Amino acid sequence: MIKKFFSRLKKSTELKIDEGDNNTDISVQENNEIELNESIEVIEKEEIVKIEEEIVKKDENKSDDIERVKEIEDENEETEICEEDSEEEDIQQEKQIDEEFILNAKIKRGKNIKVIDIYTYEEQVFKTHKECSRKLKIAEDYIIENLKFGYTDYLGESITYLSKELQVNDNSNYLESNKSPLEKFNYLHDKIFTAKISQNKREDILSNEKIEPIKMHYKFESIDYEYNEYFEKYKSIIKRGGKKKIELVDKNGEVIEIFKSLDECATYLNKDKQEISDMLKYKETKVGRREIRYSLRNI
């Protein structure tokens, strides 16, 4: 556009020179052309510089936009990673809670246990914890200690003895306490030296072999897979509160009665509500020749 303008200007100048005095020195025309060309070059250079500055500015803006987009993408990616980590953490926590519940339920049921001798690796399987306890001549609490806490030695006898001798009033079972058996054991041992008892009594306690754990050589594994299947089927009902519909079925699985709540079922069977709740929670559902079960129908 600039070139066209100066082209016209050049022609106009030439015409004026032609129409003027023919005797004018031709050098005037040449000088005019030189000045005109120089002006064109100056303006062209200025225009080029201006265009280059605009391009640089656009590139800078484009670079800023790209950088900002990258920052936003990085922020979004970090947010997604945090959300995924949080979700995975929640899943793992929920899984751990379920595993603890299942283990406690299996202990409550006391069925199907495998015993492994830690020295010979010999394995034995028993249908119930009671049978295992009787045949191996070990306390049932020892089985529970090992299943829940992994202890090889048995602490229960020492805890029971020291609690009685030191008159530590604790009505709850030590296995259901908020302290682990080892914490309870250490607490009672410290108590020997701080309790308000006679020196003779203290010496008697310290000389009694019952203050030490019983050395054992078994470890146990619950193989009560029946409950795993039961929990998986009724998990959502077991874990939630509110009303739970119950069905009473015969030996063939045919529904005899449907109850809209635990209270209604307990009243019908003439049992305590908590008993009905525990029966369903731990799959101890036999009622004579019949059976109760959670209903999967909508209430």
Side-chain angles (χ1 to χ4, degrees):
M1 185 176 178
I2 295 170
K3 287 184 178 181
K4 286 181 180 180
F5 170 74
F6 282 104
S7 178
R8 290 194 194 100
L9 183 60
K10 182 179 178 182
K11 287 180 182 178
S12 175
T13 306
E14 288 173 353
L15 287 173
K16 288 179 180 179
I17 291 171
D18 291 340
E19 292 172 357
D21 187 4
N22 291 332
N23 295 326
T24 303
D25 190 0
I26 192 68
S27 64
V28 173
Q29 181 180 354
E30 290 176 351
N31 289 335
N32 287 338
E33 286 181 357
I34 291 170
E35 290 176 1
L36 181 62
N37 288 334
E38 288 176 351
S39 298
I40 291 172
E41 288 178 3
V42 170
I43 293 174
E44 282 182 340
K45 286 180 180 179
E46 290 177 352
E47 189 68 21
I48 288 170
V49 170
K50 185 177 179 182
I51 292 171
E52 287 177 345
E53 288 176 349
E54 289 179 354
I55 291 171
V56 170
K57 187 175 181 181
K58 286 181 179 179
D59 287 343
E60 288 177 350
N61 291 338
K62 186 176 179 181
S63 177
D64 290 342
D65 290 342
I66 292 172
E67 188 65 29
R68 181 55 187 154
V69 168
K70 189 175 183 305
E71 287 177 3
I72 293 172
E73 287 177 348
D74 290 343
E75 288 173 2
N76 290 339
E77 187 176 347
E78 288 177 4
T79 301
E80 288 176 3
I81 291 171
C82 289
E83 289 176 352
E84 288 174 1
D85 289 345
S86 178
E87 185 177 343
E88 180 63 25
E89 197 174 304
D90 290 342
I91 291 171
Q92 291 302 321
Q93 187 176 5
E94 186 72 16
K95 183 179 178 182
Q96 184 178 349
I97 291 171
D98 287 350
E99 288 174 351
E100 288 178 2
F101 181 91
I102 291 170
L103 176 60
N104 287 327
K106 287 180 177 182
I107 289 171
K108 190 84 172 177
R109 282 162 56 82
K111 296 181 179 181
N112 299 314
I113 190 86
K114 180 195 289 185
V115 187
I116 304 167
D117 189 302
I118 62 175
Y119 298 120
T120 66
Y121 299 104
E122 179 187 356
E123 295 184 1
Q124 298 181 69
V125 174
F126 300 98
K127 290 184 178 180
T128 66
H129 292 189
K130 288 184 182 299
E131 181 189 7
C132 175
S133 171
R134 186 175 65 255
K135 290 192 174 181
L136 296 182
K137 295 180 172 53
I138 57 175
E140 281 190 65
D141 283 349
Y142 170 55
I143 298 173
I144 299 173
E145 276 188 30
N146 185 266
L147 285 172
K148 289 187 74 170
F149 305 100
Y151 301 150
T152 304
D153 295 337
Y154 175 44
L155 303 175
E157 184 172 291
S158 176
I159 290 172
T160 301
Y161 169 75
L162 288 173
S163 295
K164 181 180 177 182
E165 293 300 315
L166 298 173
Q167 297 181 344
V168 175
N169 296 321
D170 188 354
N171 295 324
S172 64
N173 185 314
Y174 78 97
L175 289 167
E176 297 172 359
S177 169
N178 56 1
K179 291 187 178 72
S180 71
L182 184 58
E183 288 173 328
K184 188 85 171 178
F185 175 83
N186 290 334
Y187 165 76
L188 289 168
H189 266 250
D190 291 341
K191 193 77 174 172
I192 295 172
F193 302 98
T194 59
K196 293 180 179 180
I197 54 177
S198 66
Q199 187 60 29
N200 288 338
K201 177 76 170 177
R202 184 173 288 109
E203 289 175 359
D204 287 343
I205 292 172
L206 289 170
S207 62
N208 195 311
E209 62 181 15
K210 287 185 178 181
I211 68 171
E212 298 299 330
I214 298 176
K215 298 295 180 183
M216 307 292 276
H217 54 93
Y218 296 115
K219 65 178 181 179
F220 303 88
E221 179 185 338
S222 175
I223 51 174
D224 184 5
Y225 304 125
E226 180 185 35
Y227 190 78
N228 291 74
E229 296 173 4
Y230 181 80
F231 181 79
E232 191 63 31
K233 183 175 182 179
Y234 296 111
K235 175 180 175 179
S236 60
I237 302 176
I238 292 172
K239 295 182 70 174
R240 71 169 170 80
K243 286 190 175 182
K244 300 177 181 182
K245 186 182 285 187
I246 314 299
E247 295 175 352
L248 179 66
V249 298
D250 62 21
K251 62 181 181 180
N252 298 317
E254 296 293 329
V255 177
I256 302 170
E257 295 284 345
I258 298 176
F259 310 105
K260 292 183 179 180
S261 67
L262 291 171
D263 289 304
E264 191 177 317
C265 179
T267 300
Y268 182 89
L269 297 175
N270 196 26
K271 291 182 178 291
D272 182 72
K273 177 184 175 181
Q274 187 59 50
E275 183 182 358
I276 295 294
S277 178
D278 288 344
M279 287 171 66
L280 289 162
K281 187 184 294 184
Y282 303 120
K283 200 185 181 305
E284 301 290 352
T285 52
K286 292 289 184 182
V287 185
R289 294 184 178 181
R290 297 172 296 177
E291 187 176 354
I292 55 174
R293 68 187 183 194
Y294 290 115
S295 176
L296 297 175
R297 308 165 194 253
N298 292 328
I299 294 178

